Amino acid sequence: MEKKLRIAIIGYGKMGRAVEKLALSKGHEISAIIDNEADWERSAGKLAESDAAIEFTDPDAAPVNIKRCFDIDLPVVTGTTGWLSELPAIVRLCESGERTLFYASNFSIGVNFFFELNKRLADMLSGMQGYSPSITETHH
């Protein structure tokens, strides 16, 4: 039997709502929805009982949100972009505290196939003279 997760959603915009809809359709529970400072205070107990947090917010909020989850030993999945200058410090915190973080700049299967095809194309053309291949993915 599949384990049903208690998921905390951090960031209740377009992606947060999509995560909620998909999670509920798969039989999972939404234990908390965090979209502002008052939600953090109101949902403290629910967060501690969650199996994981899924975080889609903004670049300024993401590192703070991740640290807050680390503080209560809550595993975090984040797809927030634009905060990678903070990633090395977050990774150090994660590793030193034996916490859990899963980050991807894009969770779309199609876009990830695109990334892989781009690597293969670059390898194929690397030895060819006169070619300067490039592909640009524009996010948002």
Side-chain angles (χ1 to χ4, degrees), residues 88-114:
I90 293 293
V91 168
R92 283 191 299 277
L93 273 176
C94 183
E95 291 173 346
S96 68
E98 297 183 356
R99 302 300 188 234
T100 303
L101 174 67
F102 183 85
Y103 165 77
S105 63
N106 196 309
F107 284 89
S108 164
I109 293 170
V111 168
N112 281 284
F113 280 135
F114 177 79

Side-chain angles (χ1 to χ4, degrees), residues 13-79:
K14 184 175 168 183
M15 285 305 300
R17 285 178 168 76
V19 167
E20 177 187 37
K21 183 178 178 181
L22 182 60
L24 291 173
S25 77
K26 301 290 184 182
H28 300 293
E29 175 188 335
I30 303 304
S31 55
I33 295 174
I34 308 294
D35 202 41
N36 56 54
E37 192 59 35
D39 291 342
W40 278 102
E41 295 169 17
R42 187 174 31 258
S43 300
K46 294 176 183 176
L47 284 167
E49 297 171 359
S50 300
D51 295 308
I54 300 179
E55 197 271 354
F56 280 94
T57 59
D58 63 62
D60 293 329
V64 174
N65 293 334
I66 293 166
K67 290 174 189 176
R68 284 176 143 174
C69 290
F70 285 175
D71 288 345
I72 59 170
D73 198 20
L74 181 60
V76 186
V77 174
T78 183

